[in-house]
Amino acid sequence: FEVGDAGSFGIQTAPSRDFVQEIAAIAQRRLNRAGYRDVFTMNKKADDSLEIVLGDRTINSVAEIPDAKLRREIQLAIQEWQDRK
């Protein structure tokens, strides 16, 4: 997934400096509302790609997220972030 193209996460706009924090905050809010308590971390890699860390697993595509509820909420968080841009 590369920011700026229609990669695995589907982000098509130029990212702000804090795009990872913005998406993570939206995802956490959505997940808290949905009663989801699993822990995840989002990181911006040196090549401006986004990765999600679940426990000891690093994920580079939303499709790789094994939990369907978590996967859907992160997809919706990314869409919400895009809609704000």
Side-chain angles (χ1 to χ4, degrees):
F1 157 71
E2 293 294 323
V3 174
D5 64 40
S8 300
F9 288 97
I11 297 174
Q12 297 177 343
T13 59
S16 70
R17 284 201 128 141
D18 300 318
F19 82 99
V20 173
Q21 292 84 4
E22 291 172 15
I23 293 170
I26 294 166
Q28 193 61 57
R29 176 181 45 81
R30 295 186 65 86
L31 289 164
N32 286 342
R33 254 192 275 155
Y36 200 88
R37 301 291 177 241
D38 201 11
V39 177
F40 71 94
T41 304
M42 287 187 180
N43 300 309
K44 179 181 173 187
K45 298 191 302 188
D47 65 357
D48 285 339
S49 63
L50 177 68
E51 71 180 9
I52 298 170
V53 180
L54 295 171
D56 62 354
R57 184 172 179 195
T58 300
I59 297 172
N60 296 303
S61 168
V62 172
E64 294 176 28
I65 298 172
D67 183 289
K69 186 176 183 180
L70 178 61
R71 183 174 53 248
R72 178 72 178 144
E73 291 300 330
I74 291 177
Q75 287 171 329
L76 291 170
I78 292 168
Q79 183 62 52
E80 184 177 329
W81 178 81
Q82 272 192 300
D83 291 347
R84 292 180 180 182
K85 300 297 166 193

